[in-house]
């Protein structure tokens, strides 16, 4: 069969597949994921937040010897709480000795709290927040009101005794009790769901975020050194307040920041969350943001990005800066229905991703995108590498000037497709892998590799 005939055959398969899908729209949703999402409890989130607030401070440099106050008590409680959920969860401290440096003003033992839900594959999907807190005079409100953007890595003035615990009140219920509570609650609903996931899920409560993403950097560095396959990080930081300091209230949307360049894996993860979070939680609108984070501000997802991992940052849509890095960051500033919606979007998209095959690679062994104009010279000819466990693939495309996928087409268990008379120069193409039940991976886009600058020599040419 020549390639044109084969292309038509593929398209026929494709279109019959589309009509089947269209006639059973609800079949896209996995009832087990619907049930998992419905298990998220506002009451549980409330209890976790109030417990976190009760430690008064969770500053990375605070006391560790009190059973009720400071970061030592907080991390022990988080560990025991997650251990109580299910014998399936492997809960441990991810401990690092950190000598004095930057905003770490004295030698400190830093402990991330990590709960692993093993899947059939070692590849990992993280849901995370940071449980450490900070409060300074004036808080983030004063910092943001000054004219120039602040250097987030600027050193804080040294305390009177640098070796004394930093025990000033720093409740941090929204920053980042909210992301921590979301992470802990997802550890519960995932481990108690009775579901077996393809990917390994990791529920990670980082420390040291407020001193420069220290806990996340240390964990990401370890992952690089040990070859731990981190597929994606869903980082949640400040996701529990729906009343902006501007007076604008928005409890129906969530921002998802994703580092570029355009069509980077992190951008594809944000699109994935918009697509699958939106299907399972249609009442909550995901707003992907094509930038690493907010101006002058940072979060743990960036620590993973900087070491080459795929990671995005969830941020509430309307922040109240007067309640951040401030003693006023209390439970009063939380909207439980809003936090629960953000937890549902995380749960739906993380569950879908963890059930799906890994996203396919679209690169040749030489690192070139497997896209061409063959056979006619004017077609879109897409090839990809088979993804383990895939039963089908879905092709996506959009105008080359546009942020969101506009068209999609289900193809069978094949590793190539031809779209006749589609100019590859005018569209961005991508492909996702699906298992037999329709769980879809994130999309891998066909991207032109950057070209090296070739300086032109001038002069006599001798
Ligand atoms: Zn934070």
């Amino acid at each position: 069969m020549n390639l044109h005939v084969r292309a038509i055959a593929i398209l026929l398969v494709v279109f019959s597949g589309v009509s089947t899908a269209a006639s059973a729209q609800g079949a896209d949703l996995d009832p087990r994921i619907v049930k998992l999402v419905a298990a998220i409890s506002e009451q549980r989130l409330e209890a976790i937040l109030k417990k976190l607030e009760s430690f008064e401070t969770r500053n990375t440099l605070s006391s560790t010897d009190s059973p009720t106050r400071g970061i030592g008590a907080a991390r022990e409680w988080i560990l025991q709480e997650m251990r109580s959920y299910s014998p399936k969860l492997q809960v441990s401290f991810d401990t690092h000795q950190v000598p004095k440096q930057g905003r770490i003003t004295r030698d400190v033992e830093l402990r991330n709290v990590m709960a692993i839900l093993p899947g059939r594959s070692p590849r990992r999907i993280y849901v995370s927040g940071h449980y450490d807190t900070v409060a300074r005079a004036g808080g983030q409100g004063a910092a943001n009101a000054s004219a120039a953007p602040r250097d987030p890595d600027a050193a804080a003035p040294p305390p009177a005794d640098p070796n004394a615990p930093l025990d000033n009140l720093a409740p941090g219920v929204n920053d980042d009790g909210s992301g921590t509570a979301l992470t802990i609650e997802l550890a519960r609903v995932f481990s108690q769901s009775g579901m077996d996931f393809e990917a390994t899920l990791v529920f990670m409560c980082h420390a040291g975020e407020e001193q420069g993403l220290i806990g996340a950097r240390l964990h990401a560095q370890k992952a690089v050194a040990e070859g731990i396959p981190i597929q994606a990080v869903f980082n949640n930081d400040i996701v529990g307040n729906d009343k902006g300091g501007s007076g604008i209230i928005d409890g129906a949307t969530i921002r998802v920041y994703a580092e570029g360049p355009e069509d980077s894996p992190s951008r594809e993860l944000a699109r994935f969350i918009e697509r699958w979070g939106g299907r399972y939680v249609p009442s909550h609108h995901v707003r992907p943001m094509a930038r690493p984070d907010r101006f002058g501000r940072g979060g743990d997802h960036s620590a993973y990005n900087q070491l080459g991992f795929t990671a995005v940052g969830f941020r509430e849509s309307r922040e109240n800066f007067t309640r951040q890095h401030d003693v006023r960051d209390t439970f009063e500033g939380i909207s439980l229905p809003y936090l629960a919606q953000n937890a549902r979007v995380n749960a739906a998209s993380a569950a879908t991703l963890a059930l799906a095959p890994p996203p396919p690679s679209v690169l040749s062994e030489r690192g070139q995108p497997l896209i061409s104009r063959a056979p006619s010279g004017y077609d879109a000819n897409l090839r990809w590498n088979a993804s383990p466990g895939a039963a089908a693939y879905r092709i996506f495309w959009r105008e080359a000037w546009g942020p969101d996928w506009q068209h999609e087409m289900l193809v069978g268990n094949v590793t190539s497709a031809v779209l006749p008379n589609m100019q590859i120069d005018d569209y961005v193409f991508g492909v996702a892998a699906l298992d037999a039940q329709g769980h879809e991976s994130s999309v891998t886009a066909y991207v032109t590799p950057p070209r090296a600058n070739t300086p032109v020599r001038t002069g006599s040419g001798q």
Side-chain angles (χ1 to χ4, degrees):
M1 150 158 72
N2 75 29
L3 286 169
H4 268 302
V5 174
R6 191 166 63 94
I8 290 160
I10 287 170
L11 290 179
L12 287 174
V13 169
V14 160
F15 287 124
S16 61
V18 167
S19 62
T20 308
S23 66
Q25 201 67 351
D28 273 0
L29 302 188
D30 180 338
R32 296 173 306 161
I33 298 179
V34 172
K35 199 173 152 206
L36 180 147
V37 169
I40 287 163
S41 156
E42 284 181 29
Q43 289 70 36
R44 289 273 189 171
L45 290 166
E46 177 177 5
I48 296 166
L49 288 171
K50 288 185 168 165
K51 187 68 192 181
L52 292 173
E53 185 175 30
S54 77
F55 299 110
E56 297 183 7
T57 176
R58 304 187 304 278
N59 192 302
T60 301
L61 301 167
S62 64
S63 290
T64 55
D65 51 3
S66 162
T68 55
R69 191 173 195 282
I71 194 166
R75 67 198 181 196
E76 186 62 29
W77 179 81
I78 294 169
L79 180 92
Q80 297 302 342
E81 177 67 14
M82 291 202 288
R83 270 194 185 153
S84 75
Y85 291 154
S86 165
K88 283 185 178 177
L89 272 183
Q90 301 169 356
V91 188
S92 64
F93 288 129
D94 173 49
T95 302
H96 305 267
Q97 306 302 328
V98 187
K100 179 176 183 293
Q101 59 192 294
R103 281 180 275 165
I104 299 281
T105 51
R106 64 180 165 87
D107 296 357
V108 73
E109 183 179 85
L110 179 152
R111 298 187 195 178
N112 300 317
V113 193
M114 182 167 73
I116 299 178
L117 182 62
R120 284 184 287 270
S121 158
R123 71 187 158 91
R124 291 183 175 188
I125 294 165
Y126 283 59
V127 177
S128 71
H130 71 85
Y131 72 95
D132 68 300
T133 61
V134 74
R136 305 186 189 99
Q140 191 64 32
N144 281 15
S146 65
R150 264 165 41 99
D151 172 7
D153 293 322
D161 174 4
N163 289 316
L166 208 59
D167 276 340
N168 62 302
L169 185 64
V173 177
N174 195 26
D175 184 10
D176 181 30
S178 61
T180 303
L182 182 156
T183 300
I184 294 171
E185 176 63 354
L186 261 58
R188 185 183 72 83
V189 299
F190 276 73
S191 65
Q192 297 178 354
S193 67
M195 296 166 69
D196 290 319
F197 293 93
E198 188 60 34
T200 292
L201 283 141
V202 180
F203 304 94
M204 175 65 108
C205 302
H206 293 112
E209 195 273 349
E210 302 290 5
Q211 283 75 27
L213 325 181
I214 305 293
R217 284 190 208 281
L218 288 166
H219 186 74
Q221 280 173 209
K222 184 161 90 175
V224 171
E226 296 178 6
I228 296 170
I230 301 179
Q231 180 189 340
V233 178
F234 294 60
N235 185 51
N236 290 269
D237 192 354
I238 310 184
V239 290
N241 158 61
D242 63 356
K243 295 178 189 63
S246 64
I248 296 173
I249 297 174
D250 178 0
T253 76
I254 178 74
R255 296 177 292 177
V256 179
Y257 283 88
E259 175 117 28
E262 187 55 335
D263 285 300
S264 69
S266 296
R267 293 270 167 89
E268 297 306 343
L269 180 59
R271 291 189 180 100
F272 178 89
I273 293 164
E274 182 186 30
R275 176 176 172 89
W276 288 100
R279 287 191 178 182
Y280 283 94
V281 195
S283 57
H284 210 52
H285 176 52
V286 173
R287 301 167 63 205
M289 296 282 146
R291 43 180 53 171
D293 208 329
R294 302 143 311 159
F295 277 100
R297 309 203 61 198
D300 285 330
H301 58 288
S302 296
Y304 289 90
N305 286 151
Q306 284 162 2
L307 286 171
F309 295 113
T310 300
V312 296
F314 289 78
R315 306 291 199 174
E316 64 197 24
S317 276
R318 295 288 175 174
E319 294 179 75
N320 183 344
F321 299 125
T322 63
R323 284 185 176 273
Q324 294 176 12
H325 299 175
D326 194 283
V327 293
R328 286 169 287 185
D329 186 358
T330 58
F331 183 76
E332 246 179 47
I334 294 289
S335 161
L336 288 170
Y338 181 61
L339 175 57
Q341 285 287 75
N342 293 333
R344 291 180 191 114
V345 168
N346 270 266
S349 37
T352 304
L353 198 61
L355 290 165
S361 157
V362 300
L363 297 178
S364 71
E365 280 174 16
R366 288 170 45 235
Q368 295 299 310
L370 293 164
I371 186 168
S372 77
R373 300 180 182 84
S376 75
Y378 302 93
D379 303 320
N381 186 317
L382 309 176
R383 287 182 295 138
W384 55 90
N385 298 299
S387 199
Y393 296 87
R394 186 171 275 135
I395 294 168
F396 293 79
W397 69 95
R398 64 179 198 265
E399 296 279 336
W401 187 263
D404 292 321
W405 297 116
Q406 294 167 318
H407 308 280
E408 58 183 78
M409 186 180 274
L410 188 66
V411 295
N413 197 358
V414 294
T415 54
S416 66
V418 176
L419 285 74
N421 207 18
M422 289 278 288
Q423 299 202 111
I424 62 173
D425 316 291
D426 299 5
Y427 302 94
V428 181
F429 291 95
V431 59
L434 283 73
D435 74 356
Q437 289 76 44
H439 301 113
E440 185 181 288
S441 75
S442 53
V443 176
T444 309
Y446 293 82
V447 179
T448 311
R451 284 187 188 164
N453 177 42
T454 309
V456 178
R457 286 183 296 116
T458 56
S460 66
Q462 292 305 306

